[in-house]
Amino acid sequence: MKAAEIRKRFLQYFEKHGHTVVHSSPLVPKDDPSLLFTNAGMVQFKKVFLGQEKRPYSRATTTQKCLRVGGKHNDLENVGRTARHHTFFEMLGNFSFGDYFKAEAIKFAWTLLTEDLGLDKSRLYITIYRDDDEAFDLWQKVAGVEPSRIYRLGEKDNFWSMGDTGPCGPCSEIHIDQGADMACGPNCGIGACDCDRFLEIWNLVFMQYDQTEDGKRVPLPRPSIDTGMGLERIAAVLQGVRSNYESDLFTPIIDFACKKAGLEYHADKDADTALQVIADHSRAAAFLITDQILPSNEGRGYVLRRLIRRASRFGRLIGLTDPFLHETVGKVIDEMGEAFPELTAGRDFLLKVVREEEERFSHTLDKGLALLEEEMAVLRKAGTPAISGELAFRLYDTYGFPLDIVNDVAEKQGFSVDEAGFRACMKQQKERAKKAWKGSGEKDVASLFQTLLEAGTKNRFVGYETLEAESPVVAVLDTEGRSVPRLIQGQGGFLVTESTPFYGESGGQLGDTGQALTLTGAADVLDTLKPSPELTALKVFVSEGELLPGQEAKLAVDAESRAATARNHTCTHLLHAALHEVLGPHAKQSGSLVGPDRLRFDFTHIAAMTPEEIAAVEDFVNRAILDDRPVSTRVMSQKAAAAKGATALFGEKYGDEVRVVEVPGVSMELCGGTHMSATGQAGSFVILSESGVAAGIRRIEAATGLNALAHFQAHKQEVLKAASLLKAKPEQLAEKIKALQGQVKDAQKEMERLQAKMASGAGRDLMDDVREVNGVKVLALKSEIGNVKALREQMDALRSKLPSGIVCLAAAEGGKATVILSVSKDLHGRFTAPALIKEVAAEVGGSGGGRPDMAQAGGTDPSGLDRALAKLLELVAAG
């Protein structure tokens, strides 16, 4: 049974039993700051388990994209070396949110495995949490499993938690006996070893608790079910192979890599490891980039960079020295594009990112090898037999060198490597990374309104139709989210009304501001929050009197602010369309901020935009504004919206019913924000800046309406000021500035000429400072000339007067030190300029190099110039 069929059967089985099929969430958790990546099927349902979010279904099933490369779940070093470990994998799961519990979960799992998928019951074993007597009884009663085949294990094996905090509970695991030939020894058994004979294939988590930061386990409001079965494992089992890598999820990629490298799979153990790493990392890279992660030196981007470089390195071990990973990633798209169409849609951009990173790594790898060779030459000269752990780690961290490559190169040249020092550096880096990790950075306002959410409190948003409304106050909260009997003048807090015209911050749009009035008081609405899709809360400051629950409140949104925000929001849709038109379909939105003053739009694109591209985008948006196209909004099913071609934004959660915002012929997106009724209301659009915010992520800041007009007027005033200062017309500014630049350049050349002339003249007097050291004439002195070009000309003048000898000039300028050193050819048997300057420059905190007869160095410590000259004399005396 092929993996695609298993995936299909799994989802259909649970759909038949009342589960809603939910599409996989992205690998980047949208609103969970505790996670670097989605590492389990339940991540997208975490708030549902906590009672902070309601869904229109109480049963769900998914095939979830997962990545485990950090934190509690870190399988990276085992990938390719074992039959089961992967970075990227698919987790098949079924979930109950307070609907069914243990008995039904056990029945569903057992029936699916033994009847629909046809596994032999006699090969299946069960493990349960040691104290879970209920599960022990149910496995016998519901599934007919004999007590002798049920094993009680401890917390490490059978109590599941997603991380240090969050939903958790006891679990039951289903294991399959793969045969005695897979045993690790005579003591092999469930709970006794980790070999592959008794392979865990499915984990049923009975979600009963929420683990808090202090380690306490608080009962969840509704006991729930979270299950997970790795598609890779069950595919290997059903296909009768002993390794996940031999299943059809991996063999097409491995076969392709074998052909590329001219190898045969299973002919060599080390080559097999390399092939398996390449296959695994190709899959991970494809899905990470598709989910808008791009290579960088920090956070998630660093993980992707490390995976690409690790795969490239293993490729080199089997002879793939040219870029190849983009081709194996292309094979992943071919194999998995049907199940995950987003892979196919972003194919060109995806392959370009991988290829560029491969080429970048090849360059840095060559630099790392050169650095290692250079260091070994120094160590050899000093008689030091070991490469330091610090250097080995620097090579690993900066150039992607693993320790085994350093060991291999070192061993061939007679060096050892300080592996203990390397591990100490690695440990320090991990500790630094742990302290620096601040999570996804998403603002989680749900925790402020936990009590209201658990009580099922909802209100209705009427702000699409009106900016003013009257509604009863259903809750008054203090700034910590605690329910209070009143808020009095001078106090801040939160107000929840039965219905509200205020738009709560969501989808990148800032919350509305305005006023709230009751019979007893008045408050400024400073912000509007949206802790859940069905609950909006007003952040207020009481300006007079008091606000009480149960009162009727008059609510008024700031109309001017809302209109300005609407202009900016509609223009983000136009901007998104423009970027697709000018840069290509890979330029997808990765974040936005829409307020009354400006708009900010983040999108995926590798290079900085050119001035011509920026102008083309501005032109596209302004043409759409001048066309005064209507902006329509409709509510329809998500399936119908997808069929019409509406763009769904990355990482956003959508219900069964969605709101579609369309500018005919230009843009159609799923969006819950507020918009203009026609594009002409924006007035105009101008890009204020375009910059990079992360690797492969660009940011545009722009203005519309009166804000755009203010920008144009400010620029006009600056141009007029500059024209006045230069006594020119505005249209003559460029020509005038160009002429001034020419004058400055001529003046600079004249200054350098005069400095050189002074230096040459001074050289005639400096020959008096020549001394003889160890039979060598040496002129070592500090120069008053800081300009490097003039210093070189001074050196040329001095060398012409000292045919045999060593000349060293040292100078300081701008807080930096410069050293130039010359050695005449007749002395090269004893001294060379690069060898001398390396040690001389160390005294000024720098390094340098050059030809045997001439070398130059720079340093950051000008106070060491005298020490540097003294060092030269010392070296000549010793040589």
Side-chain angles (χ1 to χ4, degrees):
M1 192 184 298
K2 289 186 175 293
E5 176 66 17
I6 298 169
R7 185 193 292 118
K8 182 179 178 182
R9 281 200 188 191
F10 182 91
L11 296 175
Q12 287 179 342
Y13 172 86
F14 282 103
E15 187 174 30
K16 183 176 67 178
H17 288 91
H19 293 67
T20 298
V21 178
V22 180
H23 190 67
S24 172
S25 66
L27 287 172
V28 180
K30 171 66 177 173
D31 52 6
D32 190 340
S34 68
L35 292 177
L36 189 62
F37 294 106
T38 299
N39 60 11
M42 61 78 63
V43 170
Q44 68 166 307
F45 303 115
K46 182 176 177 180
K47 287 190 174 182
V48 184
F49 284 124
L50 290 170
Q52 296 176 351
E53 182 182 331
K54 301 291 189 298
R55 298 280 178 97
Y57 46 81
S58 58
R59 300 181 178 194
T61 184
T62 65
T63 174
Q64 174 63 50
K65 301 178 293 187
C66 296
L67 198 79
R68 292 185 178 177
V69 288
K72 176 184 174 184
H73 302 292
N74 189 357
D75 297 335
L76 182 59
E77 296 307 321
N78 290 321
V79 171
R81 305 183 191 281
T82 71
R84 312 294 170 199
H85 285 99
H86 306 291
T87 53
F88 172 85
F89 61 96
E90 284 182 70
M91 186 68 83
L92 305 172
N94 62 287
F95 307 89
S96 164
F97 312 117
D99 186 347
Y100 61 84
F101 200 44
K102 294 182 183 179
E104 294 89 342
I106 289 171
K107 182 179 180 181
F108 285 142
W110 191 256
T111 303
L112 175 64
L113 288 177
T114 61
E115 295 181 16
D116 284 54
L117 298 181
L119 291 182
D120 183 352
K121 295 180 182 179
S122 67
R123 295 173 59 200
L124 300 178
Y125 293 81
I126 309 300
T127 63
I128 64 171
Y129 184 51
R130 61 191 172 209
D131 299 330
D132 197 349
D133 295 331
E134 182 185 9
F136 184 80
D137 294 336
L138 286 170
W139 277 109
Q140 298 171 68
K141 180 181 176 182
V142 175
V145 179
E146 297 174 8
S148 61
R149 304 173 77 84
I150 305 173
Y151 292 76
R152 294 178 184 265
L153 299 180
E155 188 161 318
K156 179 177 178 291
D157 296 293
N158 278 81
F159 194 95
W160 194 91
S161 60
M162 190 181 65
D164 295 332
T165 61
C168 59
C171 61
S172 284
E173 295 174 344
I174 303 173
H175 298 250
I176 188 166
D177 183 357
Q178 298 204 97
D181 60 319
M182 295 286 285
C184 58
N187 297 320
C188 177
I190 294 176
C193 63
D194 291 323
C195 78
D196 284 342
R197 175 177 177 178
F198 296 97
L199 180 69
E200 177 208 334
I201 54 174
W202 203 343
N203 189 4
L204 314 182
V205 179
F206 308 130
M207 201 72 70
Q208 296 175 233
Y209 308 105
D210 175 26
Q211 183 158 304
T212 58
E213 290 183 358
D214 58 6
K216 293 181 181 178
R217 289 172 182 162
V218 181
L220 287 170
R222 297 179 300 165
S224 300
I225 291 294
D226 158 31
T227 83
M229 176 166 63
L231 177 61
E232 292 73 14
R233 288 195 180 193
I234 193 64
V237 168
L238 291 171
Q239 291 170 20
V241 294
R242 297 303 177 88
S243 165
N244 293 359
Y245 291 102
E246 294 171 2
S247 75
D248 72 321
L249 285 164
F250 292 92
T251 50
I253 311 166
I254 290 174
D255 290 346
F256 179 84
C258 280
K259 186 177 180 181
K260 185 86 178 168
L263 297 174
E264 189 175 327
Y265 194 34
H266 292 323
D268 178 82
K269 185 178 179 182
D270 289 339
D272 286 353
T273 297
L275 290 164
Q276 288 165 186
V277 167
I278 289 166
D280 174 274
H281 291 6
S282 295
R283 285 167 28 110
F287 282 93
L288 280 167
I289 297 168
T290 298
D291 280 354
Q292 300 190 3
I293 303 298
L294 296 167
S296 70
N297 285 329
E298 58 186 15
R300 298 181 178 104
Y302 179 70
V303 171
L304 173 59
R305 171 162 285 169
R306 189 178 176 195
L307 291 175
I308 292 175
R309 294 187 171 193
R310 190 169 187 264
S312 296
R313 173 174 58 81
F314 273 95
R316 285 183 173 238
L317 297 179
I318 57 173
L320 297 173
T321 53
D322 292 330
F324 70 92
L325 196 66
H326 62 287
E327 295 181 67
T328 56
V329 167
K331 195 66 181 172
V332 174
I333 299 172
D334 294 340
E335 294 296 320
M336 303 189 73
E338 184 176 348
F340 297 95
E342 59 266 31
L343 289 173
T344 304
R347 183 186 188 103
D348 292 344
F349 178 68
L350 200 165
L351 298 185
K352 181 181 180 183
V353 170
V354 176
R355 170 122 200 182
E356 288 190 1
E357 183 60 25
E358 286 184 279
E359 291 170 346
R360 190 179 293 113
F361 176 54
S362 180
H363 178 65
T364 57
L365 195 64
D366 291 339
K367 285 176 65 177
L369 280 169
L371 180 63
L372 182 58
E373 291 288 348
E374 182 181 323
E375 188 66 24
M376 287 191 296
V378 173
L379 293 174
R380 191 179 292 110
K381 187 175 181 181
T384 303
I387 293 171
S388 70
E390 290 83 356
L391 174 65
F393 179 74
R394 183 152 52 95
L395 288 167
Y396 168 82
D397 194 43
T398 306
Y399 300 104
F401 264 62
L403 191 59
D404 55 355
I405 284 190
V406 179
N407 272 322
D408 185 52
V409 175
E411 185 181 352
K412 288 177 181 175
Q413 299 203 32
F415 289 91
S416 62
V417 180
D418 177 14
E419 293 192 28
F422 173 86
R423 286 191 292 271
C425 291
M426 178 72 80
K427 183 179 179 183
Q428 289 172 8
Q429 188 214 44
K430 287 181 178 178
E431 289 171 353
R432 287 194 302 270
K434 188 176 180 181
K435 290 178 182 177
W437 170 243
K438 295 179 174 60
S440 64
E442 295 284 343
K443 183 169 67 175
D444 183 10
V445 300
S447 58
L448 268 175
F449 304 94
Q450 176 87 19
T451 304
L452 293 182
L453 291 170
E454 289 179 359
T457 305
K458 304 176 183 178
N459 57 5
R460 189 166 59 93
F461 175 61
V462 296
Y464 293 136
E465 301 84 25
T466 180
L467 297 183
E468 296 185 1
E470 294 187 13
S471 179
V473 176
V474 296
V476 176
L477 311 173
D478 65 12
T479 55
E480 299 298 318
R482 295 175 296 230
S483 181
V484 292
R486 61 175 52 80
L487 286 176
I488 63 173
Q489 184 174 341
Q491 283 186 328
F494 298 96
L495 205 65
V496 177
T497 55
E498 198 173 273
S499 62
T500 177
F502 285 84
Y503 181 87
E505 181 177 350
S506 56
Q509 181 174 327
L510 297 181
D512 281 332
T513 59
Q515 296 285 321
L517 303 174
T518 70
L519 285 174
T520 60
D524 295 320
V525 179
L526 307 176
D527 195 2
T528 307
L529 308 180
K530 199 176 184 69
S532 85
E534 297 175 313
L535 180 64
T536 301
L538 309 181
K539 182 179 181 180
V540 300
F541 179 81
V542 182
S543 55
E544 60 179 88
E546 61 181 5
L547 303 182
L548 307 169
Q551 290 182 311
E552 191 78 9
K554 287 186 176 182
L555 306 171
V557 175
D558 184 326
E560 185 176 336
S561 177
R562 168 72 81 85
T565 301
R567 284 193 288 269
N568 285 335
H569 202 155
T570 301
C571 282
T572 63
H573 288 214
L574 300 178
L575 172 60
H576 199 186
L579 291 169
H580 279 194
E581 178 73 19
V582 175
L583 302 180
H586 69 272
K588 298 176 183 175
Q589 179 175 341
S590 63
S592 68
L593 181 78
V594 178
D597 300 325
R598 63 190 173 98
L599 67 90
R600 188 180 76 203
F601 191 86
D602 295 346
F603 60 99
T604 50
H605 188 58
I606 295 176
M609 290 176 66
T610 65
E612 293 76 17
E613 288 170 338
I614 291 173
V617 167
E618 282 186 333
D619 184 65
F620 182 101
V621 175
N622 280 302
R623 283 181 182 276
I625 291 171
L626 290 172
D627 287 345
D628 196 23
R629 296 172 185 256
V631 180
S632 66
T633 59
R634 284 172 291 167
V635 175
M636 62 181 73
S637 71
Q638 188 174 158
K639 188 174 181 180
K644 287 179 67 67
T647 301
L649 299 186
F650 172 77
E652 289 295 327
K653 295 176 183 176
Y654 300 100
D656 291 337
E657 294 288 308
V658 294
R659 184 167 178 264
V660 178
V661 177
E662 182 178 10
V663 179
V666 179
S667 166
M668 182 164 52
E669 295 189 8
L670 306 189
C671 180
T674 61
H675 290 269
M676 305 177 292
S677 58
T679 59
Q681 293 169 0
S684 60
F685 170 88
V686 61
I687 292 177
L688 305 175
S689 66
E690 191 274 347
S691 61
V693 292
I697 303 291
R698 308 297 300 176
R699 171 172 291 174
I700 281 177
E701 298 207 24
T704 64
L706 292 173
N707 293 318
L709 180 61
H711 171 79
F712 292 133
Q713 289 175 333
H715 271 232
K716 181 180 178 181
Q717 289 302 314
E718 285 300 311
V719 168
L720 291 174
K721 283 182 188 177
S724 175
L725 289 170
L726 294 174
K727 295 181 173 56
K729 295 179 179 179
E731 60 269 22
Q732 297 173 330
L733 275 178
E735 185 181 335
K736 190 78 171 180
I737 291 171
K738 187 177 181 180
L740 285 173
Q741 286 177 327
Q743 293 174 23
V744 170
K745 191 173 182 180
D746 290 343
Q748 181 71 28
K749 284 182 178 179
E750 179 63 16
M751 183 180 73
E752 290 177 359
R753 188 187 68 79
L754 291 172
Q755 281 187 325
K757 185 176 179 180
M758 290 172 59
S760 178
R764 288 190 295 273
D765 302 324
L766 296 175
M767 295 304 295
D768 295 339
D769 293 330
V770 174
R771 68 181 76 179
E772 189 166 309
V773 180
N774 196 11
V776 177
K777 290 182 179 180
V778 180
L779 178 58
L781 47 84
K782 283 198 291 187
S783 174
E784 299 300 320
I785 300 170
N787 179 275
V788 174
K789 185 177 178 182
L791 199 64
R792 278 183 166 275
E793 292 183 6
Q794 184 179 28
M795 170 63 80
D796 290 340
L798 294 171
R799 289 174 69 195
S800 67
K801 297 180 182 300
L802 191 67
S804 175
I806 296 173
V807 180
C808 182
L809 296 178
E813 185 176 56
K816 300 286 180 68
T818 300
V819 180
I820 300 179
L821 194 149
S822 167
V823 178
S824 60
K825 290 184 179 179
D826 61 305
L827 298 176
H828 287 178
R830 297 172 63 186
F831 306 102
T832 65
L836 290 173
I837 206 165
K838 185 173 183 179
E839 297 190 50
V840 170
E843 300 295 331
V844 292
S847 62
R851 307 187 308 272
D853 63 323
M854 178 75 78
Q856 182 175 321
T860 58
D861 182 14
S863 66
L865 289 176
D866 289 329
R867 295 195 304 272
L869 297 175
K871 184 68 175 180
L872 174 65
L873 297 175
E874 180 185 319
L875 292 170
V876 176

